[in-house]
Amino acid sequence: MLGKLVFLFEKNKKSFLYKDLNKNGVLDKYLEANNFKWKPGEIIVVPYYDFEKEHFDEGFGFVVVGAVKENFAPEDIRTLVAKAAKALKDKVETLEVERFSDSKDFIEPAFEGFYIGTYTFDKYKSQKESKNKLTHLDLIKPEQSKQVIFESPKIVKAVISGQNYTRDLVNTPPNEFIPESFIEEANKLKDNYGFELKVLKGEKLKEEGFIGIYSVGKGSKNPPAFIHLIYKGKNPKKKIALVGKGLTFDAGGLDIKPASYMRNMKLDKAGAASVLGIMKAIGEYKPEDLEVHAFIGAAENLPSASAYKPDDILRYKNGKTVEIDNTDAEGRLVLADCLIEASKVNPDLIINMATLTGACMVALGRSTFGVFSNDENISKEFIEVAKWCGEKAWLLPLDEDLKEELKSQVADLKNCGGRYGGAITAALFLKEFVDFEKVKYFIHLDIAGPAFFEKPFKYYSYGASGIPVRSVFRYIVEKFEKEEIEEYID
Ligand code: BES
Ligand code: MN
Ligand code: ZN
């Protein structure tokens, strides 16, 4: 069966296909009877009208009417297609979307919305809730019936396969996804896409001086791991390092979390899972002009007789010592090792992503992630791309005045500051482990809020969102390298 998405631009402006299906005003009447308000983003599902028998008949399929502004933003299209796909996913096999624009801003988000909106994670359900029959999206142009776009653009295929893969990893429960699982996933990507891979695990980490990952992970029977995955394009002009926090579970350690805060802490691997999702997208897309290094610190933060303790002092490979103030501020400790390693490859840009602080959620809410950077232009460009992608990003300051909060009486730093500006002090801590002699740009994304939705949000179902895979992938393949070349020509 077939579903069609057609558009109403404003009360008195109707798309071509809307008019075509609205013979005798049947659609108008249905919308009025069902109190359709034409609020941009609003949709209504209408059964096909059988003109011979003069009644609506679901047996023939469905028409979804979506309200949209004529000067739409990409996110408006993504949202409408996702909503239509969600509404029809157990009813029809194919969704036809009226293609009223041929721009990239229409076509790419339409396919993205389709694949994000139909994502389900029901591996652990014996009784599947919906059948998810819907597998095809056609972008049709009713005036020229032959011009159907039925295949998503290469970049969308890449980015969606990465994003939905990230969601699968994050959604996987912590009894089945342990630090070792990150090694297994990295190996799969290596085999599928020909990446290089270096792995350190357990006691080896201690020997090699990865003291943050080692210490955070030593309270668990599941050994921690450091992963370095490398993609090399044919003719790389820019080198990018991606760094991700991979806490497969964060109980807080000896500074144990209260029960209600511990719930859903399987999400604490979302940064690392996003890094792998972006690498999957890179493997699919194969940008010739990039070299991409992925660094993951994977561990499980548990209280136990072998757990690291408040008062411990860790000596990092870059010579800095860190006093443990709170074992629940573990993400930054793990990331510090990764940032030291990332600096060593001399990248033009490091993008760090982590479910780092509850404070970031206090500041920005559950659906926006925080952006920190040493460079104003870079962060501005990144946030613009994120906006195009429909991922909400907001700039927060790397305010050096707050560095005082991290002063220790006995070591160079302590791992957390006071209550105020918690997302900023965490970001300042990370910055201490980036070697700016070797690294030009640094971006840190605190994704604690939007990595995981505890109830359905927009076109996201319950659970992992795969944010910020779209933004980071598109930024590095579409913008970062190009922007730099333009600068150079000037
Ligand atoms: N993984 C948490 C941050 C978090 C909280 C992510 C809620 C997603 C949802 C992190 O490791 C943590 O525990 N942070 C502490 C830091 C504090 C001890 C300085 C926090 O935010 O409370
Ligand atoms: Mn924690
Ligand atoms: Zn954590």
Tab-separated table of all heavy atoms in Angstrom, residues 164-197:
chain	number	residue	atom	x	y	z
A	164	ASN	N	22.085	5.810	12.987
A	164	ASN	CA	21.263	4.733	13.533
A	164	ASN	C	22.119	3.630	14.164
A	164	ASN	O	21.697	2.975	15.118
A	164	ASN	CB	20.292	4.197	12.476
A	164	ASN	CG	19.103	5.147	12.274
A	164	ASN	OD1	18.828	6.006	13.118
A	164	ASN	ND2	18.397	5.000	11.155
A	165	TYR	N	23.327	3.476	13.662
A	165	TYR	CA	24.285	2.546	14.282
A	165	TYR	C	24.644	3.040	15.694
A	165	TYR	O	24.628	2.266	16.660
A	165	TYR	CB	25.513	2.458	13.383
A	165	TYR	CG	26.730	1.758	13.954
A	165	TYR	CD1	26.716	0.396	14.243
A	165	TYR	CD2	27.912	2.468	14.178
A	165	TYR	CE1	27.850	-0.241	14.735
A	165	TYR	CE2	29.052	1.844	14.666
A	165	TYR	CZ	29.010	0.491	14.944
A	165	TYR	OH	30.132	-0.135	15.432
A	166	THR	N	24.920	4.325	15.818
A	166	THR	CA	25.201	4.910	17.138
A	166	THR	C	24.041	4.654	18.095
A	166	THR	O	24.235	4.267	19.252
A	166	THR	CB	25.445	6.430	17.005
A	166	THR	OG1	26.624	6.624	16.221
A	166	THR	CG2	25.622	7.090	18.365
A	167	ARG	N	22.828	4.833	17.603
A	167	ARG	CA	21.652	4.622	18.455
A	167	ARG	C	21.578	3.174	18.937
A	167	ARG	O	21.291	2.904	20.107
A	167	ARG	CB	20.373	4.980	17.682
A	167	ARG	CG	20.352	6.441	17.267
A	167	ARG	CD	19.226	6.721	16.287
A	167	ARG	NE	17.990	7.090	16.952
A	167	ARG	CZ	16.868	7.392	16.308
A	167	ARG	NH1	16.820	7.351	14.982
A	167	ARG	NH2	15.782	7.733	16.973
A	168	ASP	N	21.857	2.235	18.035
A	168	ASP	CA	21.860	0.823	18.437
A	168	ASP	C	22.878	0.561	19.548
A	168	ASP	O	22.585	-0.128	20.517
A	168	ASP	CB	22.204	-0.078	17.235
A	168	ASP	CG	21.018	-0.270	16.301
A	168	ASP	OD1	19.875	0.038	16.712
A	168	ASP	OD2	21.244	-0.724	15.163
A	169	LEU	N	24.073	1.118	19.393
A	169	LEU	CA	25.110	0.874	20.404
A	169	LEU	C	24.698	1.454	21.752
A	169	LEU	O	24.810	0.806	22.788
A	169	LEU	CB	26.453	1.505	19.972
A	169	LEU	CG	27.103	1.028	18.674
A	169	LEU	CD1	28.514	1.597	18.555
A	169	LEU	CD2	27.144	-0.484	18.573
A	170	VAL	N	24.214	2.695	21.742
A	170	VAL	CA	23.858	3.354	23.001
A	170	VAL	C	22.670	2.641	23.665
A	170	VAL	O	22.626	2.490	24.887
A	170	VAL	CB	23.545	4.850	22.787
A	170	VAL	CG1	23.110	5.520	24.090
A	170	VAL	CG2	24.761	5.577	22.215
A	171	ASN	N	21.723	2.198	22.864
A	171	ASN	CA	20.534	1.527	23.412
A	171	ASN	C	20.830	0.142	23.987
A	171	ASN	O	20.062	-0.375	24.788
A	171	ASN	CB	19.453	1.391	22.328
A	171	ASN	CG	18.725	2.704	22.075
A	171	ASN	OD1	18.559	3.511	22.993
A	171	ASN	ND2	18.305	2.937	20.839
A	172	THR	N	21.920	-0.465	23.557
A	172	THR	CA	22.246	-1.810	24.030
A	172	THR	C	22.539	-1.769	25.533
A	172	THR	O	23.284	-0.911	26.003
A	172	THR	CB	23.446	-2.379	23.242
A	172	THR	OG1	23.098	-2.367	21.858
A	172	THR	CG2	23.755	-3.811	23.654
A	173	PRO	N	21.908	-2.683	26.294
A	173	PRO	CA	22.021	-2.601	27.760
A	173	PRO	C	23.436	-2.896	28.246
A	173	PRO	O	24.206	-3.565	27.562
A	173	PRO	CB	21.037	-3.672	28.235
A	173	PRO	CG	20.894	-4.611	27.093
A	173	PRO	CD	21.038	-3.782	25.858
A	174	PRO	N	23.738	-2.410	29.466
A	174	PRO	CA	25.117	-2.490	29.956
A	174	PRO	C	25.579	-3.896	30.336
A	174	PRO	O	26.768	-4.106	30.519
A	174	PRO	CB	25.116	-1.570	31.180
A	174	PRO	CG	23.696	-1.483	31.603
A	174	PRO	CD	22.860	-1.659	30.379
A	175	ASN	N	24.644	-4.854	30.451
A	175	ASN	CA	25.102	-6.230	30.663
A	175	ASN	C	25.602	-6.833	29.356
A	175	ASN	O	26.416	-7.747	29.354
A	175	ASN	CB	23.988	-7.106	31.273
A	175	ASN	CG	22.724	-7.100	30.434
A	175	ASN	OD1	22.436	-6.134	29.743
A	175	ASN	ND2	21.967	-8.174	30.484
A	176	GLU	N	25.168	-6.298	28.239
A	176	GLU	CA	25.608	-6.828	26.946
A	176	GLU	C	26.638	-5.948	26.259
A	176	GLU	O	27.343	-6.396	25.372
A	176	GLU	CB	24.393	-7.027	26.016
A	176	GLU	CG	23.457	-8.069	26.571
A	176	GLU	CD	22.666	-8.787	25.508
A	176	GLU	OE1	22.734	-8.409	24.327
A	176	GLU	OE2	21.958	-9.747	25.889
A	177	PHE	N	26.661	-4.680	26.609
A	177	PHE	CA	27.660	-3.800	25.998
A	177	PHE	C	28.647	-3.355	27.066
A	177	PHE	O	28.347	-2.525	27.929
A	177	PHE	CB	26.996	-2.584	25.334
A	177	PHE	CG	27.889	-1.941	24.299
A	177	PHE	CD1	27.672	-2.128	22.947
A	177	PHE	CD2	28.980	-1.165	24.694
A	177	PHE	CE1	28.512	-1.557	21.991
A	177	PHE	CE2	29.827	-0.593	23.749
A	177	PHE	CZ	29.588	-0.782	22.388
A	178	ILE	N	29.847	-3.920	27.016
A	178	ILE	CA	30.892	-3.637	28.002
A	178	ILE	C	32.083	-3.024	27.250
A	178	ILE	O	32.059	-2.967	26.013
A	178	ILE	CB	31.286	-4.934	28.745
A	178	ILE	CG1	31.740	-6.012	27.756
A	178	ILE	CG2	30.110	-5.434	29.594
A	178	ILE	CD1	32.214	-7.308	28.405
A	179	PRO	N	33.096	-2.532	27.933
A	179	PRO	CA	34.207	-1.907	27.206
A	179	PRO	C	34.751	-2.762	26.056
A	179	PRO	O	35.021	-2.252	24.962
A	179	PRO	CB	35.246	-1.689	28.303
A	179	PRO	CG	34.414	-1.435	29.533
A	179	PRO	CD	33.240	-2.354	29.409
A	180	GLU	N	34.854	-4.052	26.291
A	180	GLU	CA	35.282	-4.987	25.240
A	180	GLU	C	34.425	-4.857	23.976
A	180	GLU	O	34.911	-5.039	22.862
A	180	GLU	CB	35.192	-6.419	25.813
A	180	GLU	CG	35.561	-7.549	24.875
A	180	GLU	CD	37.073	-7.735	24.757
A	180	GLU	OE1	37.783	-7.515	25.758
A	180	GLU	OE2	37.531	-8.086	23.651
A	181	SER	N	33.138	-4.556	24.156
A	181	SER	CA	32.241	-4.444	22.994
A	181	SER	C	32.698	-3.332	22.052
A	181	SER	O	32.513	-3.428	20.834
A	181	SER	CB	30.803	-4.170	23.446
A	181	SER	OG	30.444	-5.016	24.504
A	182	PHE	N	33.276	-2.273	22.615
A	182	PHE	CA	33.809	-1.203	21.757
A	182	PHE	C	34.948	-1.735	20.883
A	182	PHE	O	35.075	-1.352	19.716
A	182	PHE	CB	34.304	-0.020	22.601
A	182	PHE	CG	33.227	0.988	22.912
A	182	PHE	CD1	32.866	1.264	24.226
A	182	PHE	CD2	32.577	1.671	21.887
A	182	PHE	CE1	31.880	2.192	24.517
A	182	PHE	CE2	31.592	2.613	22.164
A	182	PHE	CZ	31.236	2.858	23.484
A	183	ILE	N	35.742	-2.634	21.468
A	183	ILE	CA	36.835	-3.238	20.681
A	183	ILE	C	36.243	-4.070	19.541
A	183	ILE	O	36.681	-3.978	18.392
A	183	ILE	CB	37.749	-4.113	21.576
A	183	ILE	CG1	38.364	-3.262	22.698
A	183	ILE	CG2	38.824	-4.801	20.743
A	183	ILE	CD1	39.229	-4.051	23.690
A	184	GLU	N	35.217	-4.850	19.874
A	184	GLU	CA	34.577	-5.676	18.840
A	184	GLU	C	33.993	-4.814	17.717
A	184	GLU	O	34.164	-5.122	16.534
A	184	GLU	CB	33.462	-6.535	19.457
A	184	GLU	CG	33.994	-7.693	20.281
A	184	GLU	CD	32.948	-8.260	21.241
A	184	GLU	OE1	31.734	-8.011	21.047
A	184	GLU	OE2	33.365	-8.955	22.201
A	185	GLU	N	33.310	-3.741	18.108
A	185	GLU	CA	32.704	-2.863	17.091
A	185	GLU	C	33.784	-2.204	16.227
A	185	GLU	O	33.652	-2.103	15.009
A	185	GLU	CB	31.827	-1.795	17.747
A	185	GLU	CG	30.578	-2.331	18.432
A	185	GLU	CD	29.669	-3.136	17.504
A	185	GLU	OE1	29.533	-2.769	16.316
A	185	GLU	OE2	29.100	-4.141	17.975
A	186	ALA	N	34.858	-1.756	16.877
A	186	ALA	CA	35.950	-1.124	16.119
A	186	ALA	C	36.557	-2.121	15.137
A	186	ALA	O	36.896	-1.764	13.997
A	186	ALA	CB	37.016	-0.588	17.079
A	187	ASN	N	36.658	-3.371	15.568
A	187	ASN	CA	37.180	-4.403	14.661
A	187	ASN	C	36.272	-4.630	13.459
A	187	ASN	O	36.747	-4.818	12.341
A	187	ASN	CB	37.371	-5.721	15.419
A	187	ASN	CG	38.810	-5.878	15.885
A	187	ASN	OD1	39.747	-5.860	15.077
A	187	ASN	ND2	39.003	-5.985	17.185
A	188	LYS	N	34.952	-4.593	13.698
A	188	LYS	CA	34.011	-4.747	12.579
A	188	LYS	C	34.197	-3.608	11.581
A	188	LYS	O	34.217	-3.835	10.368
A	188	LYS	CB	32.566	-4.712	13.095
A	188	LYS	CG	32.104	-6.007	13.719
A	188	LYS	CD	30.592	-5.908	13.996
A	188	LYS	CE	30.246	-6.632	15.283
A	188	LYS	NZ	28.924	-6.255	15.812
A	189	LEU	N	34.318	-2.381	12.099
A	189	LEU	CA	34.494	-1.237	11.200
A	189	LEU	C	35.809	-1.362	10.439
A	189	LEU	O	35.886	-1.071	9.244
A	189	LEU	CB	34.448	0.083	11.990
A	189	LEU	CG	33.114	0.425	12.659
A	189	LEU	CD1	33.227	1.736	13.431
A	189	LEU	CD2	31.993	0.536	11.623
A	190	LYS	N	36.835	-1.810	11.140
A	190	LYS	CA	38.139	-2.009	10.508
A	190	LYS	C	38.017	-2.984	9.337
A	190	LYS	O	38.497	-2.721	8.228
A	190	LYS	CB	39.113	-2.544	11.554
A	190	LYS	CG	40.446	-2.965	11.003
A	190	LYS	CD	41.232	-3.789	12.024
A	190	LYS	CE	42.405	-4.423	11.323
A	190	LYS	NZ	42.896	-5.610	11.972
A	191	ASP	N	37.340	-4.112	9.581
A	191	ASP	CA	37.193	-5.126	8.530
A	191	ASP	C	36.327	-4.631	7.372
A	191	ASP	O	36.634	-4.865	6.219
A	191	ASP	CB	36.588	-6.415	9.107
A	191	ASP	CG	37.538	-7.087	10.086
A	191	ASP	OD1	38.740	-6.743	10.067
A	191	ASP	OD2	37.075	-7.934	10.878
A	192	ASN	N	35.249	-3.925	7.699
A	192	ASN	CA	34.341	-3.463	6.636
A	192	ASN	C	34.914	-2.333	5.799
A	192	ASN	O	34.627	-2.239	4.611
A	192	ASN	CB	33.021	-2.985	7.243
A	192	ASN	CG	32.158	-4.148	7.676
A	192	ASN	OD1	32.366	-5.275	7.232
A	192	ASN	ND2	31.204	-3.878	8.545
A	193	TYR	N	35.669	-1.459	6.415
A	193	TYR	CA	36.069	-0.240	5.701
A	193	TYR	C	37.582	-0.096	5.536
A	193	TYR	O	38.057	0.930	5.050
A	193	TYR	CB	35.508	0.989	6.425
A	193	TYR	CG	34.001	0.935	6.558
A	193	TYR	CD1	33.393	0.821	7.815
A	193	TYR	CD2	33.176	0.972	5.430
A	193	TYR	CE1	32.018	0.759	7.945
A	193	TYR	CE2	31.800	0.905	5.550
A	193	TYR	CZ	31.227	0.795	6.808
A	193	TYR	OH	29.861	0.728	6.931
A	194	GLY	N	38.336	-1.090	5.972
A	194	GLY	CA	39.782	-1.038	5.797
A	194	GLY	C	40.481	0.003	6.662
A	194	GLY	O	41.490	0.588	6.254
A	195	PHE	N	39.951	0.248	7.853
A	195	PHE	CA	40.617	1.168	8.775
A	195	PHE	C	41.838	0.498	9.409
A	195	PHE	O	41.960	-0.713	9.402
A	195	PHE	CB	39.667	1.573	9.924
A	195	PHE	CG	38.452	2.343	9.490
A	195	PHE	CD1	37.299	2.340	10.278
A	195	PHE	CD2	38.441	3.097	8.321
A	195	PHE	CE1	36.170	3.056	9.910
A	195	PHE	CE2	37.311	3.815	7.940
A	195	PHE	CZ	36.178	3.787	8.736
A	196	GLU	N	42.727	1.322	9.966
A	196	GLU	CA	43.770	0.793	10.852
A	196	GLU	C	43.241	0.841	12.276
A	196	GLU	O	42.461	1.727	12.613
A	196	GLU	CB	45.027	1.667	10.788
A	196	GLU	CG	45.833	1.546	9.516
A	196	GLU	CD	46.884	2.648	9.433
A	196	GLU	OE1	47.607	2.869	10.429
A	196	GLU	OE2	46.942	3.309	8.377
A	197	LEU	N	43.700	-0.083	13.103
A	197	LEU	CA	43.190	-0.129	14.476
A	197	LEU	C	44.287	-0.484	15.467
A	197	LEU	O	45.071	-1.408	15.242
A	197	LEU	CB	42.070	-1.180	14.561
A	197	LEU	CG	41.479	-1.459	15.942
A	197	LEU	CD1	40.820	-0.221	16.528
A	197	LEU	CD2	40.456	-2.596	15.875
